[in-house]
């Protein structure tokens, strides 16, 4: 999925959320895009209904629902995302593995990464998706809210209705081989690689 926004997980009450989501003020929450979306990260996917569901989604530990149509919580319950349609299905991922990164000369950086390898179809879809998302790389501030300027540079990976990772796109990936970097420990890199296998 392309993650169109990642914000704090607090939920608004229904009346406040309805008022905020009803952009045209007609009292009805539309579930149809106002314009035809150009791609999976197009903000046209954020219908009034999706915005309402996002605003009322509660990611707290006590919440029963961690995902609604078009929105999902992360594993920590600290951040929630508006999600575009699936851009690259998990079936197009051939392999995921944890390793220590190397630089251009083959020297170890000491940083743990998760490497991804897509099949042919997945490589083409990921190329298209990374091109779109990388286009937002410098234009959207990280972690901003939807109504301001959403973080549309992230690629959300959703497993069992939960966003397990949403890395930002740092390059256009043309060869079907990507790396996720961050503050991984050996254990967390292996755990993410195992989750991605599913």
């Amino acid at each position: 999925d392309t993650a169109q926004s990642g914000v704090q997980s607090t939920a608004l009450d229904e009346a406040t959320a309805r008022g905020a989501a009803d952009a045209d003020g007609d009292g009805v929450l539309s579930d149809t895009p106002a314009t035809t979306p150009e791609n999976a990260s197009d903000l046209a996917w954020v219908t009034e209904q999706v915005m309402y569901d996002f605003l009322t989604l509660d990611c707290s530990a006590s919440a029963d629902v961690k995902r609604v149509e078009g929105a999902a919580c992360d594993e920590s319950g600290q951040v929630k995302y508006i999600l575009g349609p699936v851009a690259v299905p998990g079936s197009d991922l051939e392999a995921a593995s944890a390793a220590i990164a190397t630089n251009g000369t083959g020297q170890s950086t000491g940083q743990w990464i998760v490497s991804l390898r897509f099949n042919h179809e997945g490589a083409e879809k990921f190329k298209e998706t990374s091109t779109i998302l990388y286009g937002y790389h410098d234009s959207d501030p990280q972690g901003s809210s939807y109504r301001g300027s959403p973080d549309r540079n992230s690629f959300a990976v959703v497993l069992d209705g939960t966003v397990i990772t949403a890395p930002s796109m740092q390059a256009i990936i043309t060869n079907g081989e990507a790396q996720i970097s961050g503050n991984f420990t050996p254990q967390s890199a292996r755990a993410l690689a195992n989750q991605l296998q599913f």
Side-chain angles (χ1 to χ4, degrees), residues 50-111:
V50 166
M51 180 53 64
Y52 173 81
D53 291 343
F54 172 74
L55 292 173
T56 57
L57 180 61
D58 181 2
C59 294
S60 69
S62 62
D64 293 330
V65 178
K66 302 289 187 184
R67 178 165 193 202
V68 291
E69 188 67 34
C73 303
D74 73 343
E75 288 184 305
S76 72
Q78 298 299 306
V79 180
K80 60 184 174 179
Y81 297 87
I82 293 176
L83 303 173
V86 173
V88 184
S91 58
D92 285 347
L93 181 65
E94 281 189 342
S97 60
I100 295 179
T102 57
N103 61 23
T105 62
Q107 300 291 322
S108 170
T109 66
Q111 180 185 29

Side-chain angles (χ1 to χ4, degrees), residues 14-183:
E14 291 182 20
T16 303
R18 181 172 285 280
D22 187 11
D24 60 10
D26 68 355
V28 177
L29 297 178
S30 173
D31 61 358
T32 304
T35 60
T36 302
E38 294 180 16
N39 55 56
S41 195
D42 192 321
L43 290 178
W45 290 113
V46 186
T47 64
E48 291 176 338
Q49 185 65 54
V50 166
M51 180 53 64
Y52 173 81
D53 291 343
F54 172 74
L55 292 173
T56 57
L57 180 61
D58 181 2
C59 294
S60 69
S62 62
D64 293 330
V65 178
K66 302 289 187 184
R67 178 165 193 202
V68 291
E69 188 67 34
C73 303
D74 73 343
E75 288 184 305
S76 72
Q78 298 299 306
V79 180
K80 60 184 174 179
Y81 297 87
I82 293 176
L83 303 173
V86 173
V88 184
S91 58
D92 285 347
L93 181 65
E94 281 189 342
S97 60
I100 295 179
T102 57
N103 61 23
T105 62
Q107 300 291 322
S108 170
T109 66
Q111 180 185 29
W112 280 87
I113 59 168
V114 176
S115 295
L116 309 175
R117 188 178 72 244
F118 295 95
N119 63 23
H120 178 73
E121 293 81 15
E124 288 301 312
K125 293 171 192 169
F126 198 75
K127 176 182 176 181
E128 180 181 339
T129 300
S130 69
T131 300
I132 292 165
L133 294 179
Y134 188 69
Y136 300 122
H137 179 68
D138 293 324
S139 62
D140 292 332
Q142 294 289 325
S144 57
S145 66
Y146 166 72
R147 288 294 182 205
S149 177
D151 174 11
R152 293 165 65 193
N153 177 251
S154 296
F155 184 82
V157 178
V158 180
L159 177 64
D160 295 334
T162 300
V163 176
I164 60 171
T165 187
S168 61
M169 198 63 65
Q170 302 296 317
I172 296 172
I173 310 296
T174 60
N175 64 358
E177 295 184 8
Q179 294 179 345
I180 302 172
S181 60
N183 296 321

